[in-house]
Amino acid sequence: MRPIYPYFGYEIKCAPIPITFPPQHQMQQPGIEWMMVPRPIYDNPYYHGSEKLANKVAIITGGNSGIGRAVAVAFAKEGADVAIVYLYERSDAFETKAAVERLGRRCLLIE
């Protein structure tokens, strides 16, 4: 006689639904972030720094947008003052400076 196994239920399989973003193409590189739709996310509001970089200064190249902006904000949350070196994206650089200064840190822009 065969053993009888208990019935555990159904297996549910979901079909994957692709999630796409609109194309982000700009004729010049590096791109200008303020023109992008949707805007890139550079800050995690749930992350609170632990002052690991208190009384330090970070020099970030390309800190006006993209990963550089995210690094500048993260370093400011950790307690560092930030110096940002950028090419010509002045409005992006001022937006990064404002984000760093909202965290109570100093920010120097170098074009």
Side-chain angles (χ1 to χ4, degrees), residues 58-95:
I59 300 174
I60 302 170
T61 58
N64 58 314
S65 62
I67 294 172
R69 178 182 289 170
V71 170
V73 170
F75 280 17
K77 284 185 174 185
E78 289 294 337
D81 292 329
V82 179
I84 296 172
V85 181
Y86 66 100
L87 290 175
Y88 53 81
E89 305 92 352
R90 180 167 282 156
S91 61
D92 290 342
F94 283 117
E95 186 176 338

Side-chain angles (χ1 to χ4, degrees), residues 43-49 77:
D43 186 18
N44 180 358
Y46 301 108
Y47 176 74
H48 300 286
K77 284 185 174 185

Side-chain angles (χ1 to χ4, degrees), residues 12-17:
I12 299 174
K13 293 186 178 181
C14 298
I17 299 172

Side-chain angles (χ1 to χ4, degrees), residues 7 23 34 57 63 70 103:
Y7 179 70
W34 66 267
V57 177
L103 296 169

